[in-house]
Amino acid sequence: MPRDQRQGAEVFWQSFGQGERPAIAIHCTLGSSNLWAKALIPLGQQIHAVAFDQPSHGQSAPWRGDASEPGGFQTQVTRIAASFIERPVDLIGHSFGASVALRIAVGAPEAVRSLTLIEPVLFAALPENDPDWQDLRAKQDHFEQLMEAGDYEPAARGFMRDWGTGQPWDSYSETQRERFTACMPMVENISRANFEDPARIARPDGIEQIDAPAMIIHGDRSPATMPKVAEAIAARLPDVGVACVEGAGHMLPATHPEQCASLIAANLERS
């Protein structure tokens, strides 16, 4: 599998499909490129998708960035993703990866042929007086307090409870739990960016300039903010569909890959 230096990081990636259309798939926080396999392989006749492991994920090297830099991790992942773009692509992102995909589309709409956002976590797209946003902000405040106190393990436990597949913390191997815990400074950098939007993805007249067909997907068992984020982003896109997958939570590509593949395919047909 290919691996090289991209944007100052040793990055591993893999490809899915042999189609003529180039695509890039960007995974979620604490996931890996492997999560895309079952959702992208059925699309192999249409797209040739690159899915890379973000720094400190999968088989890529550890992140060497400054966790105190606002949005530092998001910026590096955005640059890594952009380094794979040679002509207009079908851009697919999940969770944090969807925020990165949206950042690319806002910054370079001409580089995007279609845009599929699965459970985007750009919480800055919501008004701060929304009660579900306020509940989520309270959880984020608690997470940041744990991090400030150096309580990384309970922070990791809570993050996986709220944003994982539902697998109990104690059922993970000791190695997995240690990895999740060690990644918490990176996760805090990511989560702060989701709320504070230092890259100004949600700025006025930014999302509105994306003219590629877009699809936003969320589950009906996801955190209460997720359908609201989906609708808030969709309201600003000129050509968009919103789909809710029954019985699905936040980790849609892993738990409901067939539905993801079908919805991505529907969006491909519109471009």
Side-chain angles (χ1 to χ4, degrees), residues 2-262:
R3 181 196 307 269
D4 67 9
Q5 290 286 327
R6 287 180 179 258
Q7 301 300 314
E10 184 182 337
V11 175
F12 165 89
W13 73 93
Q14 55 186 310
S15 299
F16 299 100
Q18 301 82 36
E20 295 183 357
R21 297 171 59 148
I24 297 174
I26 311 170
H27 66 73
C28 62
T29 299
L30 299 186
S32 77
S33 58
N34 290 336
L35 290 177
W36 288 113
K38 291 182 179 180
L40 295 182
I41 287 173
L43 307 176
Q45 297 303 311
Q46 298 169 269
I47 62 174
H48 177 78
V50 168
F52 64 92
D53 287 344
Q54 298 167 24
S56 289
H57 293 76
Q59 298 183 54
S60 289
W63 183 47
R64 304 300 185 189
D66 181 359
S68 66
E69 176 190 351
F73 188 82
Q74 184 192 93
T75 294
Q76 186 174 39
V77 173
T78 300
R79 291 172 177 170
I80 292 170
S83 75
F84 287 99
I85 299 177
E86 297 179 351
R87 58 189 175 96
V89 299
D90 296 301
L91 197 54
I92 306 162
H94 170 227
S95 189
F96 165 69
S99 295
V100 171
L102 189 59
R103 178 172 173 174
I104 293 171
V106 168
E110 71 281 0
V112 181
R113 181 171 178 173
S114 73
L115 179 65
T116 303
L117 307 175
I118 304 170
E119 293 270 317
V121 290
L122 185 64
F123 305 128
L126 288 178
E128 294 184 6
N129 61 357
D130 180 274
D132 289 318
W133 184 94
Q134 292 175 346
D135 288 345
L136 190 61
R137 179 69 249 189
K139 286 187 175 183
Q140 175 68 11
D141 290 342
H142 178 63
F143 175 79
E144 291 177 11
Q145 289 165 4
L146 289 173
M147 293 300 296
E148 185 176 1
D151 294 333
Y152 291 4
E153 191 273 343
R157 183 188 292 264
F159 180 84
M160 296 305 295
R161 179 194 64 232
D162 293 339
W163 300 105
T165 60
Q167 181 176 341
W169 176 259
D170 292 337
S171 69
Y172 289 107
S173 69
E174 183 177 355
T175 299
Q176 288 174 311
R177 295 196 301 269
E178 288 176 350
R179 172 182 167 258
F180 295 151
T181 299
C183 283
M184 284 302 104
M186 176 193 70
V187 172
E188 182 181 20
N189 187 271
I190 293 168
S191 63
R192 284 181 179 271
N194 293 335
F195 283 93
E196 298 166 10
D197 192 22
R200 300 188 66 240
I201 302 169
R203 64 183 179 269
D205 297 323
I207 295 173
E208 290 82 355
Q209 302 308 310
I210 301 170
D211 60 1
M215 173 74 73
I216 307 179
I217 306 168
H218 65 88
D220 69 349
R221 297 185 181 179
S222 299
T225 48
M226 297 316 301
K228 292 186 175 182
V229 172
E231 293 293 348
I233 296 172
R236 299 177 57 184
L237 285 163
D239 184 4
V240 63
V242 178
C244 178
V245 177
E246 184 176 355
H250 184 63
M251 292 297 293
L252 270 159
T255 62
H256 291 70
E258 293 181 0
Q259 291 91 328
C260 282
S262 177

